[in-house]
Amino acid sequence: MKVSLSWLKELVSITCDVDDIAESLSMSGFEVEEVVDLSSSIKGLVIGYIQKIEDHPNANKLKICTVDVGKAESLQIVCGASNVREGINVLVATEGAYLKAIELKIKSNKIRGINSQGMICSLSEIGMESTSNGIAVLDDIYNEIPAVGKNPADLLGLNDVILDLAITANRPDGMSMVGIAREVSAIKKANLTLPKLETNNDEYILFASNLFAKKAINKEGIYSIHYIENIDGSLEAPNFIRNRLKNSGINSINLIVDVINYVMLEQGQPMHAFDADLLDKITNKKVSEKDFGIRLAHEGETFLGVDAKKYVLTSKTHLVTCSDIPIAIAGVLGSSNSSVNNKTKRIWLESALFAPGAVRNSVRDIGKRTDASSRYEKGISSNMTILSANRVISLLIEYCNCYVKYRFIDKKNIAIENEIILRRSKINSLLGKINVKGNKNNLRYLTEDEIKEPLLLLGCNVKEYTDGWLVKPPLNRTNDLYREIDFIEEIARLVGYDKFDSNLPQPISPGILNPIQKTERNIRKNLCSIGFQEVNCSSLVPENKETDGCISISNPLLKETSTLRTNMWEEHIKITKRNIATGQNSCWIFEIGKIYSLKEDKIQEETVLSGLIVGKKCLGKWHDNLRDSNIEYFEARGLLETAFNSLFLNIIDHKEVHNQLYHPGKSAILSLEGKQFGRFGQLHPAKAEEENINYNLFLFEFDFERIQKASTRKNKLIKRFKQYPTVPYMERDISIIIEQEITYDTIRHLILKEGKSLVECVDLLDIYNGSNLEQNKKSLTCRIRYRKEKDTLKEEDINPVHDKILKRLNEIYDAKLRH
């Protein structure tokens, strides 16, 4: 919300400087993000009068102007504008001025050999318009012009300071000048001078409608429509209205639109005007109040906005219609087919209360937020709907002598005036005591006057009641002041939180990590120590129609965050592609988080460890000497093995063949304690081509809860001392021929199982695939280490066990010794 300081001072009697106001508003809950002195943008700009014009001797399109700027000597300025002429008042940027809009510092220089001592400006060159046809001829724009040499800040409406406020969702009153004025009045204890608002409830005709039907707008909605004749769309709004709109970031259109926008800034109630003649034209009949309606858009229905953009709507968009023809997106945007213009003679003025959720859905669906929608989304008091409409009507009558023929409303506008019981005991219990003059030894509760004064300054009606007061909130704050605690919070805020005595709880004793938490921390630490970087991606992602089991959010803020993620690898691939595109040679990332799935119509939540490995990591520039920076399957798999080593987990790899995400020959299903818990492998070639990836990319995804359970079992947590062997070991190598699909890990586990009394470990020495072997066969060479715990091994101890291992390999896997 952009707050004009000059406008604010008209509404509330304050003399303090802008820094004091900004500090006070920030401390009371309205954070001031920026303070902009508008006059600084035209520093060095003065009113000038062109006395004489001569032709430039070296350029046909340039003129040499003699300009009076209120100094002893006139300035000589070279100008190329087509509308420059003698005897006009203009805007002159003198030497040293800086024009921010075009990023130009003015200095004396020669233009085609003629000295120029400044610049005659257009409105676009000082940032007041987007485009201009020639210089600004002040005589054609303004009725009264300041004296030559004067600063044009007042004339241009730039003698003002703008406070840019961040308005929180719980303070919709902050979206209006009146709301901010009430706040400043309460903080500074200053008098208010607010515009007079008329109700005119007796003049409203109740009309039957189906405007607030089920699924369209909530039951508390209000819709009023006013038929106004003898209006002139060609008129411009007074300068003070146009300047205030411009300083608030709103373009001036004409008197009708400008007055509506002006009251929106003043009171916080958005409104919209429809050209009555255009409505008659598009409906082919004389429009009456019964023709107006509100409905949900049809899927794929198109809407041409007043901004000349075409929008494709969904069934969640709320439309205002006339004879079922869309004429506005409710609370967001008007249509081009009914917008007022310079030929408008009659209008239908709409003032309504639309549900925040309905407007939010429409904003999200069309991807456009407007000044009107931002106010509806925060919530508007129903008390302001009719009052604001009457304020617009009174201004239109004042400036163009129009008249209101009919006023219609779809329900009786009964003002919400709930009286809330405010108990002194509750105030004392919640807020405690205050420090009197900052003395910790002199504490007391708030007095009656200290409680009532902030409420009265806010515009509340306060009456005495048993052990407290009956309080009515002001009309513009019925949405956020409706509970006892709300008023207590306002009292504390305006008295000052810093004045209350602190009463902090006793510090609790520090906690310790449980085994589950220790495991998670160890995994993070292990992965980071070997070169991985942890990422944290949002669990809310855009809708992907190609993804099965997509879970949609019922009321998402944006299309980009409309569904729950069902995997992490999609976002991880995006991260990697961005890194590689910026010149990185590697990307090792991991994430521990939640993914979601639908099972039997119920949403299941699963914690997973997911990540991605691309490229080799080397110190400094050593990687420049590598012929191939691609990482291979076993290198990547070894990184994860290293990370899990400290957890003492026995992870077994099984061949993966039926998965469209992973490479059929370079992927594995991993099992833990006999159960599958994850996958690891290279991205499938088809998927890599689809993603335009021409390097080796390895993915992994593990059930993190299963890892935590396995690593926190008692035998893993309690470390037992193992005596270092004091007797020698003996080793024997075996070379066996087996089927191609049988993995080394399968052979290794069988050897350990059959020889568990003596076999200490098994190591793979060689894998051979040669032409002298049968088709679909391979040769494995393994080294088996034997050792007894206490005695020295003998041949007769090893032979039975070794023979048993060979026999079992032959029986189960048809393994033949290779000689």
Side-chain angles (χ1 to χ4, degrees), residues 138-161:
L138 301 182
D139 310 74
D140 298 341
I141 303 173
Y142 302 100
N143 295 324
E144 296 182 6
I145 302 170
V148 170
K150 294 293 184 181
N151 188 302
D154 285 324
L155 178 70
L156 301 174
L158 297 176
N159 191 16
D160 200 357
V161 177

Side-chain angles (χ1 to χ4, degrees), residues 712-723:
T712 53
R713 300 202 187 281
K714 195 171 182 180
N715 62 330
K716 298 285 195 308
L717 287 176
I718 302 173
K719 304 296 186 297
R720 293 185 179 182
F721 175 73
K722 186 177 181 181
Q723 182 70 39

Side-chain angles (χ1 to χ4, degrees), residues 63-86:
K63 303 290 184 182
I64 302 172
C65 305
T66 302
V67 185
D68 179 10
V69 292
K71 294 183 179 180
E73 294 184 4
S74 298
L75 300 180
Q76 177 177 284
I77 300 175
V78 176
C79 179
S82 59
N83 62 336
V84 65
R85 62 182 187 271
E86 293 181 357

